[in-house]
Amino acid sequence: MVFSASLLLLLAMTVPLLGSPTVPASQSVKPVLISIYAYLHPSSKTWPPELPRTLTPPSALTSSSPRALTGLHLTAASSQHSCSCLVFSQVEPAYCQLLPPVPGELSLDSIQPTPGSTLCLSLHTHYAATNLHWYLRTTGSPSPVLLWPGTQVFLDIPSQGRAALRILNISQDWAGEYLCTFEAQGFRWELYQEVKVSLQEADVALLPDELSISCGTSSGFQLNCCVPSVDESYSASWSPREGSTVSSLSVSGSQCLVLTVLSCPAADTTYTCELQGPDLTTLRISIPVTIIQDGDIICPDDSLGITWNVTKAGFMAQAPCPRDRIGRMTRSCGPDGTWGPINSKCTDATLLDLLHRARLLQAGQHKPAEEVPKLLERLPEKVARASSPSDLLTLLDTVTILAKVVEETGIQLDHSPLKALLNATNKILDLDNSSLWSPAQAQLPSASSALLLAVETLAARSRSEDQAFSFTLPSVQLQTQLLRDTVPSDYRISFSTQPPLQVHIPRDSLAPLVHSKANISITSLLLKKLDQLLPSNYGQGLGDSLYTTSGPVLSISIMADGQAFKQAEVIMDFGNRNGTPHCVFWNHTLFQGEGGWSDQGCQAQTGRTSSTTQCVCQHLTAFSILMSQHTVPESPTLDLLTQLGLGASILALLVCLGVYRLVWKVVVRNKVAYFRHAALLNVVLCLLAADTCFLGAPLLPPGPHSPLCLATAFLCHFLYLATFFWMLAQALVLAHQLLFVFHQLSKHWVLPLMVVLGYLCPLGFAGCALGLYLPRGQYLKEGFCWLDGKKGALYMFAGPVLAIVGVNGLVLAMAVLKLLRPSLSEGPQVEKRQALLGVIKALLILTPIYGLTWGLGLATLIDEVSEVPHYIFTVLNTSQGVFILLFGCLMDKKVQEALLRRFCHTLPRSSTTSMATNETFILEQSKGRS
């Protein structure tokens, strides 16, 4: 180190001093004036031992050649305290400078943050601050961890001398010493702030949280109150303590205070665990203990797996988890004194610890680039510990959280953590389906879909290298390739499956990326067995039929400079497959986030040989192939037929209303005619409103979040059901007249009953469907404003409709049988001719009016049926309004006569012999044969 005379004079000046750069936020120090004494040790000359305040440089310092110092010691003395600066030696040459005042203050907005609130730390600086970072040293942690903007942590950008740290929904995980580091005035400063967070009830584990005990079979019992071991600031106590002892116990990272009650209390007692801490909120948690009295219904002792003590009916027995597992096991005692099944919520402690670390990382603790690889490396060994559905769900949650962190931060994974991930995925796919996967998916239907999305995301973030990378396991295969900055050839890979799977991406899809000079990597991931785990959800265009997924799931991703590229043509050859192929991809957004298969942007075509199946898709995601034994009808043709039929039906129903407006008083002169036409008029009104609603539904934005779509689906459901219930009312009136020929119905009580049947019953069915299936996300069909046919909502429509069609079919059969009974006054030839004519008329009238054509809906629900029933069903039922106009209105003898009188003013003679094709004709014929 070389010093000049001017520098020496600077060191000899009087300067301010303020302690160390490491200053607690609560400490305030004022600058003081000090006197400086410097001891200089030149290499070749003895220097004065002391430099006074006013310094006359020695002649050696004024020479032209500088001198090298071998050591420097600088001390300071003041009237308040003495301190020293830095001592440098020849080994580490440097300079010495005394510290200026602390250029900022760190403050906590709330003296005592409460659990669930927002913690806010503010830094106010007097000078420009750079390289600002926030750290947290949690209770029991040896070193601080970096805080980054996660789901709970928000870092305000320093502006106008202020920077802030905000943490949402704080808990015990955010208690500890906060450290703010920054640079100002050429120094690096560290400011500290201690933050304490009170315990909340969720932090305390009680076992049991309720208890019923029989004093005759048990003289005493134990209660446990456990808090995390890292929190040593709380002291615990029990009350009441009469006739009991208290002891402490360490269990699985928790410190438990155990209350041992030696003798059974005489009456029901509530025991309270009280947790107190300095400057912290006192927490009290109660455990009610119920004494089983003589005559109470009880569940006896049982040793199913573990010992279950005598429990009072209606109570829940609880038991601790086995060693190294966290949670509890419960078993309900039924009202009749019978034990229910054991419900285990025990999870492996190490899996929960791994999940806890992942959640803290997602919230904003630790460095993602360092923590994510560490957690991934631990996954394979942890999968072997999964022995319950809760263990599997914990693993899947961990992988999902890590994938979200990687996607949010954009970090890249080296081959080592990536191999660990693939090894863990291979083991997860090999887990038993009946004992682990099925119960886990019963709790969380999207479990397998979440695994697919997480593995896709993580695999696509592999670090780009010059050499291609491939990794093969029994259930997982991965291939990555880096593209050069030249126009590439076609991308082709193949996987060792049976039959072999080949992938081809044409060069035209990749050329724009290469021309942009981006760093491009292509990752192809093959997952076997996953196709058998994904839910059987089929999106728009695939219908509600059941398919078999005869191939593995293939995921292809392209990354360009860290950004995902989604649009590219990919051609996949799945080899020889039996059945009708449907090329599909897994859409994670379908079915309210549960995921489902969709064929949008994908089509099947014949491969290079006629026996192979080739899929061509215009986007990149997870692909597979569905096989069915029948072809799903093309939706455009059916949609066109539906629209044309509904349009014609609406026009016909409007004409029908106009006709009734003209002839109503003429056609309802007797009770039977009044009941029939009143029911038919309500059928016309309901069907007209339903068809109009259904025809306009495609114009609305689909989905449960669209109020118009939801209202339209409900109205269509209600109105179509009302149509059928009015048809049922009409059929029941006819059945009564057929069975009780000479019994007249009363208008005063029949009409109200018809209104109740026609409107209140369908309203009940529609309301039940809405209340049952909407909260589950199973009410609307994906992409439509209509009922979901997969989850049961549609059956709340199809069930009543098919039941009504069955009843109406019986009424029609009764009418036909009545017409076929021989009349005593007719000869054989006349009898046959009249009977045949009556049967034909009845079938023409009652089949469309009573909705019997909807019975074809059963055929459309059968998976193996061809497309013919779909077309017949669509044509007949969308045109029901036309049939009602023709057979229910215009062919009625009284309607014809009324129209002729109104428009022609004279009645032709031929009108007296017109065909009476309605229930009146049938009743007259049945009376003649009675």
Side-chain angles (χ1 to χ4, degrees):
M1 176 183 291
V2 178
F3 284 89
S4 65
S6 60
L7 179 58
L8 180 63
L9 291 175
L10 176 64
L11 292 175
M13 295 173 61
T14 301
V15 296
L17 168 68
L18 181 64
S20 169
T22 302
V23 182
S26 59
Q27 182 177 351
S28 178
V29 181
K30 297 181 179 180
V32 296
L33 294 177
I34 61 173
S35 300
I36 305 299
Y37 298 88
Y39 294 87
L40 305 179
H41 304 284
S43 57
S44 59
K45 184 176 178 63
T46 302
W47 287 74
E50 180 177 325
L51 293 178
R53 180 183 297 270
T54 303
L55 176 66
T56 301
S59 59
L61 291 177
T62 60
S63 62
S64 58
S65 59
R67 297 284 181 170
L69 298 180
T70 59
L72 176 123
H73 181 69
L74 185 63
T75 62
S78 71
S79 59
Q80 298 183 12
H81 56 78
S82 61
C83 58
S84 63
C85 187
L86 303 176
V87 179
F88 300 95
S89 64
Q90 187 179 6
V91 180
E92 297 180 354
Y95 65 91
C96 179
Q97 183 176 354
L98 296 178
L99 297 176
V102 177
E105 298 176 352
L106 185 63
S107 61
L108 180 64
D109 288 2
S110 175
I111 299 177
Q112 180 61 51
T114 58
S117 64
T118 298
L119 171 68
C120 185
L121 282 170
S122 298
L123 172 67
H124 298 274
T125 58
H126 312 304
Y127 302 93
T130 59
N131 294 331
L132 190 148
H133 298 284
W134 297 88
Y135 297 86
L136 169 63
R137 182 185 287 110
T138 56
T139 306
S141 176
S143 59
V145 298
L146 178 70
L147 300 180
W148 66 282
T151 57
Q152 291 181 240
V153 175
F154 294 86
L155 304 179
D156 292 346
I157 300 176
S159 176
Q160 297 180 352
R162 183 185 182 276
L165 165 70
R166 291 184 297 115
I167 302 176
L168 307 181
N169 192 25
I170 63 170
S171 62
Q172 282 290 300
D173 294 323
W174 301 95
E177 185 180 56
Y178 284 83
L179 169 64
C180 177
T181 67
F182 61 95
E183 293 181 3
Q185 295 181 283
F187 291 93
R188 183 170 181 82
W189 303 87
E190 296 179 357
L191 302 182
Y192 296 89
Q193 178 65 56
E194 185 74 20
V195 174
K196 295 182 179 181
V197 181
S198 301
L199 284 173
Q200 53 185 334
E201 192 169 342
D203 299 323
V204 183
L206 299 177
L207 187 66
D209 55 13
E210 67 173 5
L211 178 67
S212 64
I213 186 170
S214 173
C215 295
T217 59
S218 177
S219 58
F221 53 88
Q222 283 188 343
L223 303 177
N224 295 270
C225 179
C226 304
V227 296
S229 298
V230 295
D231 196 338
E232 301 176 355
S233 58
Y234 274 91
S235 60
S237 62
W238 281 100
S239 64
R241 292 188 52 180
E242 293 80 4
S244 61
T245 61
V246 178
S247 59
S248 61
L249 178 67
S250 296
V251 179
S252 300
S254 298
Q255 190 69 26
C256 299
L257 190 68
V258 182
L259 177 69
T260 302
V261 180
L262 302 177
S263 59
C264 188
D268 296 349
T269 306
T270 299
Y271 292 86
T272 302
C273 176
E274 184 174 288
L275 301 168
Q276 295 179 331
D279 301 327
L280 294 172
T281 304
T282 301
L283 184 64
R284 296 180 179 86
I285 304 178
S286 300
I287 302 178
V289 176
T290 302
I291 305 301
I292 300 176
Q293 305 294 339
D294 294 339
D296 289 344
I297 301 176
I298 62 170
C299 291
D301 287 332
D302 190 29
S303 299
L304 181 60
I306 61 173
T307 300
W308 298 94
N309 295 324
V310 175
T311 302
K312 187 176 180 179
F315 281 72
M316 185 79 68
Q318 302 177 21
C321 292
R323 184 181 180 87
D324 298 330
R325 299 182 72 82
I326 296 177
R328 70 183 62 191
M329 292 186 291
T330 59
R331 196 179 185 190
S332 61
C333 178
D336 56 350
T338 57
W339 283 110
I342 297 176
N343 181 22
S344 176
K345 295 183 179 179
C346 300
T347 308
D348 183 81
T350 60
L351 293 179
L352 285 176
D353 178 67
L354 196 67
L355 175 60
H356 184 65
R357 290 182 58 180
R359 285 175 173 168
L360 290 180
L361 175 63
Q362 184 185 31
Q365 293 188 23
H366 299 279
K367 295 181 180 179
E370 297 177 1
E371 189 72 3
V372 169
K374 291 180 183 179
L375 298 180
L376 288 177
E377 294 281 5
R378 296 182 58 186
L379 276 178
E381 62 179 278
K382 301 303 179 185
V383 177
R385 302 182 66 91
S387 59
S388 68
S390 61
D391 291 340
L392 176 57
L393 291 176
T394 302
L395 273 172
L396 298 181
D397 284 346
T398 303
V399 178
T400 299
I401 291 174
L402 294 180
K404 291 179 179 179
V405 172
V406 168
E407 186 176 27
E408 179 70 22
T409 58
I411 63 176
Q412 292 184 323
L413 300 177
D414 293 329
H415 290 169
S416 179
L418 186 58
K419 288 181 179 180
L421 167 70
L422 298 178
N423 270 307
T425 304
N426 182 72
K427 293 180 179 180
I428 291 175
L429 293 176
D430 285 339
L431 293 176
D432 185 70
N433 191 8
S434 59
S435 62
L436 294 178
W437 270 107
S438 294
Q441 290 190 291
Q443 299 179 42
L444 184 66
S446 62
S448 56
S449 178
L451 174 64
L452 172 60
L453 180 60
V455 177
E456 276 185 301
T457 303
L458 292 170
R461 294 290 176 174
S462 60
R463 193 179 302 278
S464 301
E465 296 185 1
D466 293 338
Q467 300 295 328
F469 172 66
S470 63
F471 192 66
T472 301
L473 293 169
S475 298
V476 180
Q477 296 183 37
L478 177 73
Q479 296 188 35
T480 63
Q481 182 176 335
L482 181 66
L483 297 184
R484 304 293 181 180
D485 55 354
T486 58
V487 179
S489 59
D490 291 357
Y491 173 78
R492 295 181 183 273
I493 58 169
S494 61
F495 292 94
S496 56
T497 58
Q498 291 298 328
L501 172 59
Q502 298 178 352
V503 181
H504 168 215
I505 300 180
R507 60 182 299 177
D508 295 339
S509 297
L510 301 174
L513 290 176
V514 177
H515 290 159
S516 65
K517 304 297 182 179
N519 189 18
I520 304 167
S521 64
I522 302 179
T523 302
S524 300
L525 176 67
L526 187 74
L527 298 173
K528 300 178 182 178
K529 300 182 180 180
L530 184 61
D531 55 303
Q532 306 301 324
L533 300 175
L534 291 170
S536 299
N537 296 336
Y538 308 108
Q540 182 179 358
L542 293 175
D544 297 331
S545 301
L546 295 178
Y547 298 87
T548 59
T549 313
S550 62
V553 178
L554 172 66
S555 174
I556 301 177
S557 58
I558 299 179
M559 300 297 295
D561 285 340
Q563 299 296 322
F565 181 70
K566 296 293 186 181
Q567 298 300 322
E569 182 183 56
V570 56
I571 304 172
M572 297 156 286
D573 196 325
F574 286 89
N576 187 13
R577 307 281 174 172
N578 296 322
T580 303
H582 299 271
C583 297
V584 293
F585 73 97
W586 187 258
N587 190 337
H588 293 277
T589 63
L590 295 180
F591 299 97
Q592 290 76 46
E594 185 177 321
W597 295 110
S598 175
D599 61 353
Q600 294 183 2
C602 294
Q603 62 180 0
Q605 65 183 25
T606 304
R608 291 187 299 272
T609 62
S610 59
S611 60
T612 61
T613 300
Q614 202 171 72
C615 291
V616 180
C617 294
Q618 303 301 322
H619 50 76
L620 299 176
T621 183
F623 304 100
S624 189
I625 184 169
L626 300 177
M627 307 301 296
S628 63
Q629 302 302 318
H630 70 285
T631 302
V632 179
E634 291 294 331
S635 57
T637 304
L638 287 177
D639 289 343
L640 180 61
L641 289 176
T642 300
Q643 294 171 4
L644 293 176
L646 289 176
S649 181
I650 291 173
L651 290 177
L653 293 172
L654 290 174
V655 173
C656 189
L657 288 178
V659 171
Y660 269 126
R661 176 67 177 84
L662 297 175
V663 303
W664 180 257
K665 293 183 179 180
V666 178
V667 299
V668 295
R669 292 182 176 177
N670 59 69
K671 292 181 180 180
V672 175
Y674 178 82
F675 292 143
R676 186 182 82 85
H677 287 289
L680 190 58
L681 178 61
N682 281 276
V683 168
V684 170
L685 291 173
C686 293
L687 187 59
L688 175 61
D691 285 348
T692 304
C693 236
F694 197 85
L695 187 61
L699 303 177
L700 303 175
H705 301 294
S706 172
L708 289 178
C709 182
L710 198 62
T712 300
F714 177 80
L715 285 177
C716 287
H717 188 192
F718 165 68
L719 292 170
Y720 276 121
L721 279 182
T723 301
F724 280 94
F725 274 96
W726 276 106
M727 291 178 183
L728 176 63
Q730 188 178 10
L732 292 178
V733 171
L734 175 60
H736 179 272
Q737 295 301 102
L738 290 173
L739 294 175
F740 308 100
V741 178
F742 300 103
H743 182 271
Q744 296 297 320
L745 294 174
S746 172
K747 186 184 297 186
H748 296 289
W749 63 270
V750 172
L751 191 58
L753 288 178
M754 293 174 68
V755 172
V756 170
L757 181 64
Y759 289 114
L760 293 186
C761 289
L763 184 61
F765 278 103
C768 288
L770 183 68
L772 287 175
Y773 294 102
L774 183 61
R776 307 177 189 173
Q778 301 172 353
Y779 185 69
L780 293 180
K781 185 177 180 180
E782 188 70 28
F784 293 90
C785 297
W786 181 236
L787 304 179
D788 187 356
K790 290 183 58 59
K791 305 298 183 180
L794 184 62
Y795 294 101
M796 293 289 284
F797 170 74
V801 166
L802 293 178
I804 291 172
V805 168
V807 174
N808 291 355
L810 291 177
V811 175
L812 177 61
M814 291 171 53
V816 171
L817 290 176
K818 281 284 187 177
L819 293 174
L820 290 177
R821 290 178 58 184
S823 175
L824 298 177
S825 60
E826 295 176 342
Q829 296 299 325
V830 176
E831 171 192 318
K832 293 180 181 180
R833 186 169 55 254
Q834 293 291 344
L836 181 60
L837 180 61
V839 169
I840 293 173
K841 292 177 181 178
L843 291 176
L844 286 176
I845 299 167
L846 299 183
T847 297
I849 293 179
Y850 287 172
L852 301 184
T853 55
W854 284 73
L856 290 171
L858 285 175
T860 62
L861 298 178
I862 301 174
D863 296 329
E864 291 75 13
V865 76
S866 67
E867 67 272 18
V868 175
H870 289 270
Y871 286 96
I872 298 176
F873 178 79
T874 300
V875 171
L876 290 180
N877 292 293
T878 56
S879 305
Q880 191 171 10
V882 177
F883 297 143
I884 291 177
L885 173 65
L886 294 178
F887 301 117
C889 182
L890 296 182
M891 292 185 65
D892 186 280
K893 180 176 65 174
K894 292 184 178 180
V895 172
Q896 292 176 0
E897 292 176 352
L899 289 175
L900 290 174
R901 288 194 184 99
R902 185 173 184 87
F903 293 105
C904 299
H905 304 289
T906 58
L907 185 63
R909 295 181 180 180
S910 58
S911 63
T912 57
T913 59
S914 61
M915 293 172 54
T917 54
N918 50 39
E919 288 98 325
T920 306
F921 168 80
I922 297 170
L923 293 175
E924 292 173 354
Q925 295 295 319
S926 64
K927 289 179 182 179
R929 286 165 171 77
S930 298

